[in-house]
Amino acid sequence: MSKEIPYKIYLEESEMPKQWYNVRADMKNKPAPLLNPGTHEPMTVDELSGVFCRELAEQELDDKTPYIDIPEEILSFYKMYRPSPLVRAYCLEKALGTPAKIYYKFEGNNTSGSHKLNSAIAQAYYAKKQGLKGVTTETGAGQWGTALSMACAYLGLDCKVYMVKVSYEQKPFRREVMRTYGADVTPSPSNTTNVGRKILEEFPGTTGSLGCAISEAVEVAVSSEGYRYVLGSVLSQVLLHQSVIGLESMIACDKYGIKPDMIIGCAGGGSNLGGLISPFMGRKLRGEADYQFIAVEPASCPSLTRGVYAYDFCDTGKVCPLAKMYTLGSGFIPSANHAGGLRYHGMSSVVSQLYDDGLITARSVEQTSVFEAATQFARVEGILPAPESSHAIKVAMDEALKCKETGEEKTILFGLTGTGYFDMVAYQKFNDREMSDYIPSDEELAKSISTLPKF
Amino acid sequence: MSKEIPYKIYLEESEMPKQWYNVRADMKNKPAPLLNPGTHEPMTVDELSGVFCRELAEQELDDKTPYIDIPEEILSFYKMYRPSPLVRAYCLEKALGTPAKIYYKFEGNNTSGSHKLNSAIAQAYYAKKQGLKGVTTETGAGQWGTALSMACAYLGLDCKVYMVKVSYEQKPFRREVMRTYGADVTPSPSNTTNVGRKILEEFPGTTGSLGCAISEAVEVAVSSEGYRYVLGSVLSQVLLHQSVIGLESMIACDKYGIKPDMIIGCAGGGSNLGGLISPFMGRKLRGEADYQFIAVEPASCPSLTRGVYAYDFCDTGKVCPLAKMYTLGSGFIPSANHAGGLRYHGMSSVVSQLYDDGLITARSVEQTSVFEAATQFARVEGILPAPESSHAIKVAMDEALKCKETGEEKTILFGLTGTGYFDMVAYQKFNDREMSDYIPSDEELAKSISTLPKF
């Protein structure tokens, strides 16, 4: 039975999910285990607990339990900015002249500006519960670092952020938001770690990379009393926390009889895509419903569409466990003209396995077309989207235009992960027609992929 | 009968107001009329219609009609970002250890980042309805210009924004948001107008002011075919549109049996304060309920607390009608260390009259204390507030702390007008302990007040 559908669907507090959904429990082919980089044996909870909080290490390795209770304290924090609205894009539909029905789940209505807060509060909570003093992390575009700073400020935890140097310099305002929330922000590579000093010695002029900032943050975590490392994407625990996006979406769809034909998400490390699709994928895996899932990645960092599925290093310093994933090689760094996030060389093991099993399709798009879509979206729907999120917008618009040709009334759901308020340098380039595209050559990718560990 | 109160109250679409409320209808002492700067006679609708759209000119002069229907097209646009949530500040209460109940009406969940969009869409709508090509306006901190750009993009209207030069240069990202929405942004004073050229000649190094940008925007509007001028604050029509804030708040309060003892708003030109308090003030004026209303202004621009109540020029170029208001004189420019908005020399005629009648109290606060309050609020409530809004936060916190002393369980409602994502330069100054306060001397104010027109 379908009720009259409001323009924006906000769940009632009583309807909000109380448990996260762990899609691994329903996967026949489980994601490959993390391996110890020394022994090449699967990592144990004990081993992982040196880097991560114990409960997060358990979540990381748990591929059996389908539902995990969201602790009361996290539910309280979620109430500060959730539920996020599920919005019917009436104005976009009208502008495109499409018979398709377009919905988006908007995660940008919080100061971190993105969905990252969903996992930041969870990871900070478990650190606090374990009696830790603080956490360390890396951030690139700055969404994750901001989210973690907010969560730590709320819980009274210390927060040390290694920020990719080029972003630290080009995005001083993101840095200031983190500082306002009391975080300690260091440009990476830095002289504060062994791995940082080594990288600076080897590449004196480097502007840094995510892989390098991860290495520094991990080193500080394992060498400081009372600290652990936290990560904003890629990990299975992060996808678990982000399932709140998909669960809220599914509850809202069910409540109003909305049946998505396709679900579209941008994919960098896979946290948003994995979280958005998880509960829907669960239904598909259990044979209860069918959906088309589309992962959208930048043509300049195409891990799913042009990478290989293999064990790889997660970081530049090679201090982290090995993960089996679609990857471009840990030495891959997107071209300098690449704007925004979605720049990690690999992809979540969960998303990688689902993609390898043919349960998800993937598409890559070039950034000028992404900013065109972003601008059109902003003008008709009001919200100025993050460059990352705009990858999903682009493909949602492409699919809606296909419906216009065929006359099909498909229902499209996409994840609008965040806002672009701290990305105006990129928008300015686009407005000034100074933005360009870059597609790495086969040779270039072959070279970075050749850095994969061999065993 | 009170229901269980959710953390954040979102009205259902069916509960949202369908009419604006015009507080002037219930005022015994009406605000003084706008005067023709040449004849000193009250402005007529015909005269005002050369500058404003006709329907807006009618709204400007209408002090009799209590409720005015919100056109269907505006209601549709409102649905894109309204209702705004009424939030119980549980975490702030806990952090302060106060028995007071604190609520805030949060208007920042839209790309313009503030309440300004409520009037921007209304003014753009009437311009479109009148068959105009476009509108002109000024912007200081950039919230109003962004809001108007969004509204014009949505309706397909041309939008010319004169942006105070110092903001144009220091806030390039606000400028880019406006450009992304297709607006034409010119730093003011500029060579594109007679008044701009005259001011540049007289003060070659000037970084501009709101009063000067208003003069330029008005000149372009009255001298271009198919254009009118629109203004984001001060005017009675703007307060009318902004009454949607207060109406939603009142409906939410009534629904859940919340009875505010005091209602607090920051006050620059008066648009947010006036909008928030209007329907509550209506009840007070009709003897149905009582509330304490507090207008909070910067100590560096204290029009209510240290200004005079008199007819004054609204703009530097003296091309606009004269308004009776609390004013510091049209020559007043806040000290260079003043961060954020709330920098207009005068105050809405409606708010001024209510203040003069003793129905509103006013308080001025210094900016370092405002940023302290903002930072504490951000850390516990999550939202990074605009400097303007933080004036209201500061006084709400002061009042809650008084309740802690007296043990009174007062209910405090304040307007959180917007977010500070484009104000990180000011936050950085505060974080680096480089922010200072400035209180103008009596001599300084006497000098600027001496520029009032004499008749």
Side-chain angles (χ1 to χ4, degrees):
Chain A
M1 295 300 298
S2 71
K3 304 186 191 183
E4 199 187 330
I5 304 178
Y7 183 90
K8 286 184 296 182
I9 305 174
Y10 283 105
L11 296 181
E12 307 274 330
E13 277 185 13
S14 58
E15 298 168 324
M16 283 168 68
K18 306 278 183 295
Q19 297 180 307
W20 291 306
Y21 170 66
N22 182 5
V23 70
R24 289 169 292 173
D26 282 311
M27 288 170 70
K28 268 178 225 147
N29 299 325
K30 306 287 182 192
L34 294 172
L35 298 187
N36 181 307
T39 64
H40 295 175
E41 291 296 312
M43 295 287 286
T44 63
V45 168
D46 281 344
E47 285 175 313
L48 278 180
S49 296
V51 181
F52 302 127
C53 306
R54 187 148 193 109
E55 283 199 59
L56 291 169
E58 284 165 2
Q59 291 179 1
E60 191 60 33
L61 300 188
D62 182 351
D63 58 11
K64 305 262 179 323
T65 315
Y67 289 95
I68 293 177
D69 285 344
I70 306 175
E72 205 54 52
E73 293 83 349
I74 299 177
L75 287 174
S76 290
F77 189 87
Y78 279 173
K79 282 188 198 167
M80 291 173 67
Y81 68 102
R82 307 200 68 82
S84 72
L86 180 69
V87 187
R88 173 80 182 265
Y90 283 112
C91 299
L92 182 62
E93 291 171 17
K94 198 175 153 197
L96 298 174
T98 177
K101 296 181 185 71
I102 308 175
Y103 292 86
Y104 55 90
K105 180 71 169 166
F106 178 44
E107 292 288 318
N109 268 351
N110 67 75
T111 288
S112 82
S114 81
H115 66 294
K116 298 274 180 173
L117 200 50
N118 302 328
S119 185
I121 184 61
Q123 297 191 51
Y125 165 77
Y126 290 113
K128 181 79 178 177
K129 192 180 166 198
Q130 193 171 320
L132 297 178
K133 269 195 281 195
V135 291
T136 72
T137 198
E138 78 297 324
T139 198
Q143 288 178 338
W144 168 246
T146 310
L148 188 68
S149 305
M150 290 173 65
C152 287
Y154 178 79
L155 293 170
L157 274 177
D158 187 39
C159 179
K160 294 185 195 303
V161 181
Y162 284 84
M163 186 170 186
V164 177
K165 191 180 279 174
V166 60
S167 297
Y168 183 91
E169 286 162 2
Q170 289 182 357
K171 293 197 160 188
F173 295 165
R174 275 276 188 211
R175 185 186 74 207
E176 286 310 317
V177 177
M178 289 184 253
R179 287 183 70 207
T180 300
Y181 283 93
D184 175 32
V185 189
T186 308
S188 167
S190 75
N191 278 314
T192 65
T193 63
N194 291 326
V195 66
R197 284 186 288 270
K198 200 174 143 198
I199 291 168
L200 281 173
E201 215 166 273
E202 210 171 330
F203 310 98
T206 181
T207 53
S209 71
L210 267 183
C212 166
I214 293 174
S215 300
E216 290 202 86
V218 170
E219 181 183 320
V220 172
V222 298
S223 62
S224 309
E225 184 66 31
Y227 282 79
R228 289 294 184 282
Y229 168 70
V230 298
L231 178 65
S233 190
V234 184
L235 296 173
S236 300
Q237 58 186 270
V238 176
L239 267 70
L240 174 71
H241 308 148
Q242 294 295 359
S243 70
V244 70
I245 306 172
L247 288 163
E248 278 186 13
S249 303
M250 201 166 75
I251 293 166
C253 284
D254 288 352
K255 180 174 177 182
Y256 291 100
I258 300 162
K259 296 199 168 105
D261 295 296
M262 59 178 72
I263 303 177
I264 302 168
C266 60
S271 72
N272 155 67
L273 177 80
L276 173 65
I277 69 172
S278 274
F280 296 99
M281 181 63 80
R283 284 188 175 166
K284 180 164 174 160
L285 290 167
R286 296 188 303 269
E288 298 164 10
D290 196 19
Y291 309 95
Q292 184 186 357
F293 300 104
I294 308 178
V296 189
E297 57 184 16
S300 53
C301 189
S303 56
L304 285 175
T305 51
R306 296 178 68 198
V308 293
Y309 191 34
Y311 270 102
D312 195 6
F313 302 108
C314 292
D315 63 324
T316 310
K318 303 180 183 176
V319 301
C320 294
L322 297 168
K324 189 174 177 193
M325 52 186 182
Y326 274 84
T327 178
L328 301 168
S330 64
F332 181 81
I333 293 180
S335 132
N337 85 343
H338 175 99
L342 311 181
R343 48 172 63 242
Y344 187 64
H345 66 275
M347 177 60 66
S348 145
S349 292
V350 173
V351 171
S352 292
Q353 185 61 46
L354 291 168
Y355 178 64
D356 203 56
D357 288 340
L359 293 159
I360 297 177
T361 57
R363 217 169 283 179
S364 76
V365 289
E366 295 177 47
Q367 68 178 359
T368 49
S369 71
V370 166
F371 276 83
E372 270 164 29
T375 302
Q376 184 172 3
F377 181 84
R379 291 185 184 185
V380 298
E381 288 288 322
I383 298 165
L384 186 87
E388 297 82 3
S389 327
S390 305
H391 287 71
I393 295 175
K394 164 66 179 156
V395 169
M397 284 169 65
D398 286 348
E399 291 296 322
L401 289 172
K402 279 186 207 163
C403 288
K404 186 178 180 177
E405 277 177 29
T406 63
E408 288 174 286
E409 292 183 23
K410 285 193 181 170
T411 298
I412 300 169
L413 166 62
F414 74 88
L416 188 67
T417 57
T419 51
Y421 308 150
F422 291 91
D423 299 285
M424 297 317 297
V425 170
Y427 272 97
Q428 180 169 4
K429 263 194 191 158
F430 178 75
N431 291 338
D432 289 338
R433 298 172 197 279
E434 286 169 4
M435 179 169 279
S436 60
D437 291 315
Y438 180 80
I439 302 180
S441 68
D442 289 341
E443 293 69 33
E444 197 179 329
L445 290 186
K447 193 178 157 199
S448 70
I449 287 169
S450 73
T451 63
L452 290 182
K454 284 162 192 73
F455 61 91
Chain B
M1 295 299 297
S2 70
K3 303 187 192 183
E4 199 187 332
I5 303 178
Y7 183 91
K8 286 183 297 182
I9 305 174
Y10 283 106
L11 297 180
E12 307 274 330
E13 277 185 14
S14 58
E15 297 168 323
M16 285 168 67
K18 307 277 184 296
Q19 296 180 307
W20 291 305
Y21 170 66
N22 183 5
V23 71
R24 289 169 291 173
D26 283 310
M27 289 169 70
K28 266 177 225 148
N29 299 325
K30 305 288 182 192
L34 295 172
L35 299 187
N36 182 308
T39 65
H40 296 173
E41 291 296 313
M43 295 287 289
T44 64
V45 169
D46 281 344
E47 284 174 314
L48 278 180
S49 297
V51 182
F52 302 127
C53 306
R54 186 146 195 110
E55 284 198 57
L56 291 169
E58 284 166 2
Q59 291 179 0
E60 191 60 34
L61 300 188
D62 182 351
D63 58 12
K64 304 262 179 322
T65 316
Y67 289 96
I68 293 177
D69 285 343
I70 306 175
E72 205 54 54
E73 293 83 348
I74 299 176
L75 287 174
S76 290
F77 188 87
Y78 279 172
K79 282 189 199 167
M80 291 174 67
Y81 68 102
R82 307 201 69 83
S84 72
L86 180 69
V87 186
R88 174 80 182 264
Y90 283 112
C91 300
L92 181 62
E93 291 170 17
K94 198 175 152 197
L96 297 175
T98 177
K101 297 182 184 72
I102 309 176
Y103 291 87
Y104 55 89
K105 179 71 170 167
F106 179 43
E107 292 288 318
N109 268 350
N110 68 74
T111 287
S112 82
S114 81
H115 67 293
K116 298 274 180 173
L117 200 49
N118 301 328
S119 185
I121 185 60
Q123 296 191 50
Y125 165 78
Y126 291 113
K128 181 79 178 179
K129 191 179 167 199
Q130 193 171 319
L132 298 178
K133 270 196 280 197
V135 291
T136 71
T137 199
E138 78 296 325
T139 199
Q143 289 179 339
W144 168 247
T146 310
L148 189 68
S149 305
M150 289 174 66
C152 287
Y154 178 81
L155 293 170
L157 274 178
D158 188 38
C159 179
K160 294 186 196 301
V161 180
Y162 283 83
M163 187 171 187
V164 177
K165 191 180 279 174
V166 61
S167 297
Y168 182 91
E169 285 162 2
Q170 289 182 358
K171 294 198 160 188
F173 295 165
R174 275 277 186 209
R175 183 188 74 208
E176 285 310 317
V177 177
M178 290 184 251
R179 287 184 69 207
T180 300
Y181 283 93
D184 176 32
V185 189
T186 307
S188 166
S190 76
N191 278 315
T192 65
T193 63
N194 291 326
V195 65
R197 284 186 289 270
K198 199 176 145 199
I199 291 168
L200 280 173
E201 213 166 275
E202 209 170 332
F203 309 98
T206 180
T207 53
S209 71
L210 267 182
C212 166
I214 293 174
S215 299
E216 289 204 85
V218 171
E219 181 182 321
V220 173
V222 298
S223 62
S224 309
E225 183 67 31
Y227 283 79
R228 289 294 185 283
Y229 168 69
V230 297
L231 178 65
S233 191
V234 183
L235 296 173
S236 300
Q237 60 185 271
V238 176
L239 268 71
L240 174 71
H241 308 146
Q242 295 296 358
S243 69
V244 71
I245 306 173
L247 288 163
E248 279 186 12
S249 303
M250 202 166 75
I251 293 167
C253 284
D254 288 352
K255 180 174 176 181
Y256 290 101
I258 301 163
K259 295 196 170 109
D261 294 296
M262 59 178 70
I263 304 177
I264 302 168
C266 61
S271 72
N272 155 68
L273 178 80
L276 173 66
I277 69 172
S278 273
F280 295 98
M281 181 63 80
R283 284 189 176 166
K284 181 165 174 158
L285 290 167
R286 295 189 303 269
E288 298 164 8
D290 196 20
Y291 310 94
Q292 183 186 357
F293 300 104
I294 308 178
V296 189
E297 58 185 15
S300 53
C301 190
S303 55
L304 285 175
T305 50
R306 297 178 68 198
V308 294
Y309 190 33
Y311 270 101
D312 195 7
F313 302 108
C314 293
D315 63 322
T316 311
K318 305 180 181 177
V319 300
C320 293
L322 297 168
K324 189 174 178 194
M325 53 187 179
Y326 274 85
T327 178
L328 300 168
S330 63
F332 181 82
I333 293 181
S335 130
N337 85 344
H338 174 99
L342 311 181
R343 50 171 62 244
Y344 188 63
H345 65 276
M347 178 60 66
S348 144
S349 292
V350 173
V351 170
S352 293
Q353 185 61 47
L354 291 168
Y355 178 64
D356 203 57
D357 288 341
L359 293 159
I360 297 177
T361 58
R363 217 169 284 178
S364 75
V365 288
E366 295 177 48
Q367 69 178 358
T368 50
S369 72
V370 166
F371 276 83
E372 269 163 30
T375 301
Q376 183 171 5
F377 181 84
R379 291 184 184 185
V380 297
E381 287 289 321
I383 298 165
L384 186 88
E388 297 83 3
S389 326
S390 305
H391 286 70
I393 296 175
K394 165 66 180 155
V395 169
M397 285 169 65
D398 287 348
E399 290 296 322
L401 289 172
K402 278 187 207 161
C403 288
K404 188 179 179 177
E405 279 176 30
T406 61
E408 288 174 288
E409 292 183 25
K410 285 193 180 170
T411 297
I412 300 170
L413 166 62
F414 73 88
L416 187 68
T417 57
T419 51
Y421 308 149
F422 291 90
D423 298 286
M424 295 319 297
V425 169
Y427 272 97
Q428 180 169 4
K429 264 195 189 156
F430 177 75
N431 291 337
D432 291 336
R433 297 171 198 279
E434 288 170 3
M435 179 169 279
S436 60
D437 291 315
Y438 181 81
I439 302 180
S441 67
D442 289 342
E443 293 68 34
E444 197 179 329
L445 290 186
K447 194 178 157 198
S448 70
I449 287 169
S450 73
T451 63
L452 291 182
K454 284 162 193 71
F455 61 93

